Amino acid sequence: MVHTKTEKQNLIKLKMESRSVNEAFARTAAGAYLMSFDPTLEELNDIKTAVSEAVTNAIVHGYADCIGEISMEFYTKQPGEVWIRIVDHGCGIADVKQAMEPLFTTCSDAERSGLGFTMMQSFCDKVQVRSVPGKGTTVTLMKRLSTRGSHVAK
């Protein structure tokens, strides 16, 4: 089968409950997916951190008062690019632009810094956030890997 540039290749799908213990699983799954691309240690850590932030946002904000489902997709579209999509069907974000501002948080406790999206943007080459209040949020991360890891996993 021949793949086009925009077609998802080597697609892996996962679903998990929005429990805080599953954030570590999401990080590990991202790392496992990346290993076939021979990423640098920095690339590996960047993606694992961005995934951690996206999943934590879904757990803490999307499903603040309940347990819901988080789904993840890992795929490539062209050699050297890894895409990860994190989807929740929680409360959604009323103002995505505001939510992506550094230090903005909807949490009243002092434990949340409001830097989740800022960290995702600093560690990835592309971050897309789509959200509908009452329906959920989709965060799509893309990272270009160095030439060392630019092949498509087979």
Side-chain angles (χ1 to χ4, degrees):
M1 172 184 248
V2 176
H3 295 285
T4 63
K5 278 188 171 185
T6 58
E7 190 175 317
K8 293 178 184 176
Q9 299 171 39
N10 194 31
L11 175 64
I12 305 290
K13 295 181 180 185
L14 299 172
K15 290 186 179 184
M16 69 192 89
E17 289 186 334
S18 61
R19 298 183 186 276
S20 60
V21 296
N22 290 334
E23 178 273 330
F25 178 81
R27 281 178 66 89
T28 302
Y33 182 81
L34 285 169
M35 292 315 294
S36 66
F37 297 94
D38 192 25
T40 65
L41 186 57
E42 182 178 2
E43 291 166 339
L44 182 64
N45 287 330
D46 287 353
I47 292 174
K48 286 171 61 176
T49 300
V51 164
S52 178
E53 292 296 329
V55 170
T56 297
N57 276 354
I59 293 167
V60 171
H61 300 289
Y63 297 113
D65 299 323
C66 63
I67 299 297
E69 183 178 273
I70 298 171
S71 60
M72 295 178 62
E73 289 184 359
F74 302 88
Y75 56 93
T76 61
K77 288 186 179 180
Q78 58 188 4
E81 287 185 359
V82 175
W83 294 76
I84 302 171
R85 179 169 290 143
I86 297 100
V87 180
D88 72 65
H89 300 286
C91 68
I93 301 170
D95 186 339
V96 171
K97 184 176 179 182
Q98 181 184 36
M100 293 183 77
E101 290 178 11
L103 304 178
F104 176 82
T105 184
T106 57
C107 288
S108 57
D109 65 24
E111 290 185 33
R112 302 288 165 202
S113 64
L115 292 173
F117 286 124
T118 301
M119 290 179 68
M120 287 180 237
Q121 290 171 318
S122 68
F123 291 127
C124 293
D125 294 297
K126 187 173 195 176
V127 176
Q128 296 174 330
V129 180
R130 299 186 195 284
S131 192
V132 177
K135 301 231 182 227
T137 302
T138 299
V139 175
T140 305
L141 310 169
M142 189 276 290
K143 177 81 171 173
R144 286 183 196 90
L145 302 176
S146 64
T147 54
R148 155 187 161 142
S150 65
H151 66 282
V152 174
K154 295 182 178 162

